Amino acid sequence: MINDLWYKNAVFYCLNVESFMDSNGDGVGDFQGVQRRLDYLAGLGVTAIWLMPFQASPGRDDGYDVSDYYNVDPRYGTLGDFVEFTHSAKQRGIRVLIDLVVNHTSDEHPWFKEARADKNSRYRDWYVWSKTKPANADEGMVFPGIQKTTWTRDKASGEYYFHRFYEFQPDLNTANPHVQAEILKIMGFWLQLGVSGFRMDAVPFVIAEKGADVTKPKEQFDMLRSFREFLQWRQGDSIILAEANVVPKENLQYFGDDGDRMQMMFNFHVNQSLFYALASADVRPLAKAMNETKERPATGQWGIFLRNHDELDLGRLTDKQRQTVFDKMGPDKDMQLYDRGIRRRLAPMLGGDPRRLKLAYSLMYSLPGTPVLRYGDEIGMGDDLSLPERNCARTPMQWSNEPQGGFTKSDKPILPVIHEGPYGFDHVNVAIQRRDPDSMLNWTERMIRMRKEAPEIGWGTFECLDTGDDGVLAMRYDWRDNALVILHNFHDRPVEITFDVGLKDAGKNLIDIADDSDSTADEKGKHHIVIEPYGYRWYRAGGLDYLLKRSEV
Ligand code: NOJ
């Protein structure tokens, strides 16, 4: 069981082939490039790679506008290169997940081209049409400020088509059984080429009812069960990680009460309050969010992340909380996006302060779920705010202080490499950090090792402990007679906290597994611990021999 549910104790690493490593000097990253960096990723300790879209695409939304689901975009290589890559990853014990973008296609997809050219085409019904402009055409935009409408008139047929995202991304009519069958076929295809599952894009929109007369779209959750069922039949250990930014009361509908829908979901709810905690040193909303997302089926798992390739969406915080995060981490209008978020990378958001960065990442590795890193996080990469929208945080990976950060031999990289300021590639790169035992890179490697040796986090149950200080988060994990106690101090000053682990004798001795500051409880069973500003502690209760105690592997 422990080995079968591999995603429970995994470490995910998200990368975009296009901006990771260019092997042929044309300025665009490619599969052969990523393949050459697999030993780097294996060394870091990641166990699964999530690839952002690499299928054929006009590239108007960084590949989230697919024009052929069954091919690699020629700029990144061939299907042959893809299979070499998944095979090589497997040899190193690394699984590969890919983005599954089936809420919409590109408007250059042959299905859409045919659908708009001919109302009698068999693909007409694969999209969502209206003869007249629907009354709610100016509602529900995902990219407010940039996207003007959700229904655009198609000149060819004179009718309007629905698009939840940009106008060049027509929504697929996912209620159509032919479309559903095609989605399964796409999954089956990539499974056959060696992937272990999918990060499914925009899941709430995939399952939403669509149409001109739909005012309150109902979700068709059963679709998720059929995706899951198909995956399990084809390849029992494959999973779907859902991108679904929904309110906690809907979570179980996505996981399925019996765990018969999505295996994993990103925990957006925790993500937002985590940033609030970092900005305000008030951990109460974070502890609340953790408790509100505690319930999940035994096979369900959260994906825990800090920043991703999109803006940091703070839409579900209160106005006051959101303003606090803006003030502290993205005060300029230019750093904000879509009226709800911040588009920067994490390191500049935290002022490049290594103590705060380590606090944030230690949290990411220790919150209930499976950590999902983003390429460049491990070296603390920065952003380039002169690039439009979300591109500012999508610049090429910085490998060395060679020209273009060692990403490409071309002098025209696909996006500019950050070359100046504190995050420029000559100071922030893999080669330099590899040599420095105290670098972010080497720290990350040690953290990942520690996280993998702490299966209590991925598998166990948690409880937030009372420390009497709203700026300190204390969590205890329990799993099979093992317990972990993890502390994070969000204050910019040292604090002394007093707490009871709640395990009686078993909680008397806390062994520090990250450092050398063990703690023994006083005669009343209380621990008194002083934590430095932005400090963290990982303890195992009751000794280090947890592996010996484990009854099953
Ligand atoms: C969510 C993806 O994360 C985002 O980058 C993309 O623009 C939209 N879905 C549309 O596919």
Side-chain angles (χ1 to χ4, degrees), residues 340-354:
R340 61 173 177 242
I342 300 181
R343 64 186 190 122
R344 309 175 80 190
R345 273 241 189 203
L346 186 74
M349 284 171 72
L350 298 181
D353 182 340

Side-chain angles (χ1 to χ4, degrees), residues 62-323:
D62 217 21
Y64 285 94
D65 47 335
V66 176
S67 57
D68 181 357
Y69 289 98
Y70 300 101
N71 256 312
V72 169
D73 192 296
R75 294 174 310 150
Y76 310 143
T78 62
L79 281 175
D81 294 328
F82 180 80
V83 171
E84 279 304 296
F85 165 72
T86 53
H87 175 73
S88 310
K90 193 169 165 199
Q91 301 294 74
R92 290 162 176 82
I94 299 179
R95 292 173 183 267
V96 177
L97 279 89
I98 66 170
D99 241 289
L100 180 68
V101 189
V102 290
N103 175 65
H104 44 267
T105 67
S106 157
D107 59 354
E108 291 182 35
H109 195 293
W111 302 335
F112 189 66
K113 283 192 183 163
E114 214 178 299
R116 76 193 322 182
D118 178 3
K119 283 192 190 158
N120 296 316
S121 149
R122 70 185 186 106
Y123 293 115
R124 183 76 184 172
D125 239 13
W126 283 40
Y127 294 89
V128 187
W129 300 96
S130 171
K131 289 196 173 40
T132 53
K133 188 173 186 177
N136 58 2
D138 57 356
E139 288 169 19
M141 278 85 73
V142 177
F143 304 123
I146 310 267
Q147 185 189 351
K148 299 273 175 289
T149 177
T150 48
W151 289 89
T152 291
R153 185 166 178 277
D154 165 43
K155 285 196 199 90
S157 68
E159 294 190 1
Y160 290 78
Y161 63 89
F162 178 61
H163 53 91
R164 178 60 73 174
F165 297 95
Y166 299 109
E167 88 288 348
F168 54 81
Q169 290 166 314
D171 266 48
L172 280 164
N173 176 12
T174 42
N176 180 335
H178 295 292
V179 172
Q180 291 178 10
E182 191 75 30
I183 295 175
L184 301 187
K185 200 194 270 186
I186 294 167
M187 291 201 281
F189 177 81
W190 293 103
L191 285 178
Q192 211 69 30
L193 298 190
V195 308
S196 292
F198 304 89
R199 175 263 188 196
M200 193 165 179
D201 190 60
V203 178
F205 300 134
V206 173
I207 62 173
E209 241 183 312
K210 304 179 187 189
D213 46 1
V214 176
T215 43
K216 270 202 161 171
K218 277 208 219 65
E219 294 99 347
Q220 300 147 73
F221 284 108
D222 205 43
M223 224 188 268
L224 301 181
R225 191 192 49 78
S226 67
F227 295 156
R228 163 76 172 258
E229 207 171 69
F230 173 83
L231 277 186
Q232 306 272 259
W233 279 109
R234 279 284 164 100
Q235 187 176 294
D237 62 351
S238 49
I239 64 161
I240 297 182
L241 162 57
E243 188 219 9
N245 186 351
V246 293
V247 291
K249 67 176 183 344
E250 291 183 35
N251 293 335
L252 281 185
Q253 309 253 46
Y254 284 81
F255 281 129
D257 286 337
D258 305 325
D260 56 354
R261 294 177 186 161
M262 308 283 87
Q263 287 93 339
M264 287 188 73
M265 286 173 75
F266 284 112
N267 199 334
F268 283 96
H269 194 56
V270 156
N271 180 262
Q272 308 200 7
S273 27
L274 183 163
F275 275 94
Y276 177 69
L278 290 169
S280 66
D282 178 359
V283 302
R284 288 170 302 174
L286 173 57
K288 183 164 172 271
M290 290 167 65
N291 283 319
E292 283 167 348
T293 53
K294 197 172 202 170
E295 199 184 354
R296 52 183 149 99
T299 57
Q301 180 73 324
W302 288 114
I304 303 290
F305 64 105
L306 292 173
R307 289 287 291 108
N308 60 21
H309 62 288
D310 290 325
E311 81 288 1
L312 165 68
D313 184 345
L314 301 168
R316 294 197 201 282
L317 294 182
T318 65
D319 291 349
K320 203 163 155 225
Q321 289 172 334
R322 188 178 321 106
Q323 197 53 49

